[in-house]
C-alpha cells in the first residue's frame, strides 16, 4: 500500500499529512499512535456520512477504538454560532475529555467547524483532520485555520488550531461530485501559479488525468500540494510575515464574488477562486507587471479543465461596484487598505497594496462582460 508522509514542521506542534489510497480502512493503524486512549468523537456531515462514515466506523471498531458520531447538516450554513453551540454541547454530552481527540471527517465546512469546536472545547482538545474533498486535502485541512461565518462575512470568527494529524485518503475523491472536484482543482492550480511554474506545466499535461481519477496522478497532485501547503504554514503559521498570505491568490476577488452571490451555492468557493485567479492575472497584466501570454495560458488551462474564468458564466448582472464593496470587509484588509496577491508571471506571486478602486472597476467590468 503506497502512502506518503509530509511533515508540517512547527517544532513541538509538528504533524504529518498522510496521503494514500484506502487510508480510512486502516484508520486504527494510522491514527492509533496519535490517540491518548482508544476513544474518539467523529464529526461529519450528512452527505459524507453516506459514503465514508461506515468505512471509518468499521475501521475503528476493527482496531478496538470506541467512537461517538455527531452528524451536522451538509453545507456552509453549518458554520454558524448555532451549529457550533450544538456541536459543543453534543461533544460534552459524548463525554469528550481534555485529552481526547475529535476526528473531522469531511470537506472544508466540517474541518473548519469541528476544528473550531475542538480548539475551544475544554480549552482545546486534539483534532485529526480526515479530509474527503480535493479542496480540503490540498488546502483547508492543513495549517490549522478554523472558522465559522458571521453576518459580516465568511470565516471572520475562528482560531488557529493545528491538527495532530491529517489523513488524506484520495480514494474518497471517487464519490465526490464532478463540480466539487473541479472546484478543488482550482486550489491545486493555485500552487503552481504562486511559486511553482514546473508544477503548473505538469498540470497542463497531467491535470486531465488528475480530474479523470487516475490514481497515481491524483496522489502525486495531492502530495505536491500538501508539501507546498506545509512549507507555507511552516514559514508563516499565523499569516504574519506575508508568506502564507500568498495562498490567498485569487481569494480577495473570489470572496467578493461569493459574498455578492450571498454564498447561496450558485458559485462554489473554488469556482470563485478560479475567476479570482484569472482576475489577479488580468490585474497584473493591466498594471504592466505580468506578460499577457502568461495570463492567457492560465485562463486557457482553467477553462479547458472546466472551470469558470469570468462572472458571465453565472448569469450575474449588476455593476462592478456591488462586488467591490465586499472587498473592504475582507480579512486581508488592514487600516482600510486591502492587500492583493498579484503576479509577475506564472509561479511568481507577490503581495501588493497598490491596487486602487479605479483599477478594480474595469477589472470587474471585464469579468462581468466576458
Ligand atoms: N487557505 C489558506 C490558508 O490556509 O492559509
Amino acid at each position: 500500500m503506497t502512502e506518503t508522509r509530509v511533515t508540517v514542521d512547527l517544532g513541538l506542534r509538528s504533524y504529518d499529512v498522510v496521503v494514500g489510497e484506502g487510508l480510512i480502512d486502516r484508520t486504527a493503524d494510522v491514527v492509533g499512535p496519535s490517540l491518548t486512549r482508544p476513544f474518539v468523537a467523529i464529526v461529519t456531515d450528512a452527505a459524507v456520512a453516506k459514503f465514508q462514515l461506515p468505512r471509518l466506523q468499521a475501521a475503528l471498531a476493527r482496531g478496538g477504538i470506541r467512537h461517538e458520531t455527531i452528524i451536522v447538516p451538509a453545507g456552509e450554513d453549518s458554520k454558524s454560532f448555532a451549529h457550533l453551540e450544538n456541536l459543543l454541547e453534543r461533544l460534552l454530552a459524548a463525554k469528550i475529555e481534555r485529552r481526547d481527540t475529535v476526528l473531522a471527517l469531511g470537506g472544508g465546512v466540517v474541518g473548519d467547524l469541528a476544528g473550531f469546536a475542538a480548539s475551544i472545547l475544554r480549552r482545546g482538545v486534539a483534532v485529526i483532520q480526515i479530509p474527503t474533498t480535493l479542496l480540503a486535502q490540498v488546502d483547508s485541512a492543513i495549517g490549522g485555520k478554523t472558522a465559522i461565518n458571521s453576518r459580516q462575512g465568511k470565516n471572520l470568527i475562528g482560531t488557529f488550531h493545528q491538527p495532530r494529524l491529517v489523513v488524506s485518503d484520495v480514494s474518497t475523491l471517487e464519490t465526490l461530485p464532478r463540480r466539487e472536484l473541479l472546484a478543488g482543482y482550482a486550489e491545486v492550480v493555485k500552487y503552481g501559479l504562486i511559486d511553482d511554474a514546473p508544477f503548473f506545466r505538469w498540470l497542463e499535461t497531467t491535470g486531465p488525468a488528475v480530474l479523470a481519477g487516475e490514481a497515481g496522478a491524483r496522489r502525486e497532485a495531492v502530495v505536491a500540494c500538501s508539501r507546498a501547503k506545509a512549507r507555507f504554514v511552516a514559514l508563516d503559521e499565523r499569516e504574519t510575515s506575508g508568506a502564507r498570505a500568498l495562498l490567498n491568490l485569487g481569494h480577495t476577488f473570489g470572496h467578493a464574488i461569493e459574498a455578492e452571490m450571498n454564498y447561496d451555492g450558485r458559485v462554489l468557493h473554488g469556482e470563485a477562486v478560479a475567476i479570482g485567479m484569472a482576475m489577479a492575472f488580468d490585474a497584473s497584466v493591466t498594471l504592466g507587471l505580468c506578460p499577457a501570454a502568461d495570463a492567457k495560458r492560465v485562463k486557457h488551462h482553467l477553462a479547458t479543465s472546466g472551470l469558470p474564468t469570468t462572472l458571465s458564466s453565472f448569469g450575474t448582472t449588476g455593476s462592478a461596484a456591488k462586488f467591490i464593496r465586499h472587498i473592504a470587509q475582507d480579512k486581508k484588509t488592514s487600516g482600510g487598505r486591502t492587500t492583493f496577491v498579484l503576479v509577475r508571471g506564472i509561479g511568481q506571486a507577490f503581495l501588493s497594496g497598490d491596487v486602487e478602486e479605479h483599477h478594480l472597476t474595469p477589472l470587474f467590468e471585464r469579468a462581468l462582460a466576458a
Side-chain angles (χ1 to χ4, degrees), residues 70-354:
I70 300 169
I71 300 180
V72 301
E76 192 70 29
D77 287 353
S78 285
K79 285 174 60 173
S80 67
F81 274 116
H83 284 288
L84 176 70
E85 180 184 4
N86 189 271
L87 174 56
L88 289 166
E89 291 294 349
R90 289 167 75 186
L91 287 167
L92 290 169
K95 306 226 171 343
I96 287 292
E97 295 174 3
R98 175 71 187 78
R99 286 156 58 78
D100 285 338
T101 302
V102 171
L103 301 189
L105 173 74
V109 168
V110 165
D112 279 4
L113 175 68
F116 190 21
S119 76
I120 56 177
L121 185 76
R122 298 189 188 276
R123 300 201 174 86
V125 303
V127 64
I128 291 178
Q129 296 281 353
I130 309 181
T132 59
T133 63
L134 184 58
L135 187 141
Q137 291 184 357
V138 301
D139 186 11
S140 62
I142 306 168
K145 280 189 181 174
T146 81
I148 58 169
N149 302 329
S150 140
R151 274 193 296 276
Q152 306 295 322
K154 208 175 148 184
N155 292 336
L156 293 180
I157 300 150
T159 54
F160 282 97
H161 185 58
Q162 297 296 341
R164 185 162 285 175
L165 184 73
V166 179
V167 182
S168 292
D169 181 344
V170 289
S171 63
T172 60
L173 306 181
E174 283 159 25
T175 51
L176 198 63
R178 174 86 185 162
R179 191 173 166 204
E180 268 200 59
L181 185 76
L182 269 171
Y185 185 72
E187 303 277 2
V188 174
V189 174
K190 183 184 78 177
Y191 290 105
L193 302 183
I194 293 173
D195 72 344
D196 194 348
F199 182 57
F200 181 74
R201 256 196 310 280
W202 182 80
L203 289 173
E204 285 180 308
T205 52
T206 320
V210 174
L211 290 168
E214 205 270 284
R218 232 172 223 189
R219 198 175 49 242
E220 210 174 322
V222 174
V223 168
C225 296
S226 302
R227 286 206 173 108
K229 181 77 190 256
R231 189 164 39 83
F232 283 111
V233 172
L235 275 172
D236 182 17
E237 183 185 4
R238 294 196 164 229
E239 207 167 305
T240 46
S241 77
R244 186 168 180 166
L246 292 173
L247 296 172
N248 295 326
L249 175 63
H251 283 60
T252 306
F253 298 118
H255 284 158
I257 295 165
E258 288 181 276
E260 182 52 31
M261 295 198 195
N262 295 318
Y263 304 101
D264 62 5
R266 261 180 299 163
V267 62
L268 301 180
H269 174 68
E271 292 169 340
V273 167
I275 301 170
M277 291 193 299
M279 291 178 75
F281 270 79
D282 186 9
S284 305
V285 172
T286 309
L287 290 166
L289 299 163
C290 167
D294 281 24
K296 206 170 154 199
R297 213 173 125 199
V298 171
K299 253 186 148 173
H300 178 76
H301 181 61
L302 294 171
T304 52
S305 301
L307 281 160
T309 57
T310 66
L311 277 160
S312 52
S313 15
F314 294 94
T316 37
T317 51
S319 65
K322 287 208 300 194
F323 292 90
I324 293 168
R325 78 186 155 87
H326 294 288
I327 287 180
Q329 180 56 275
D330 200 281
K331 293 191 293 314
K332 294 167 280 302
T333 299
S334 157
R337 282 196 83 77
T338 304
T339 303
F340 287 84
V341 186
L342 297 181
V343 286
R344 294 197 175 86
I346 291 169
Q348 299 174 63
F350 67 100
L351 300 182
S352 169
D354 294 337

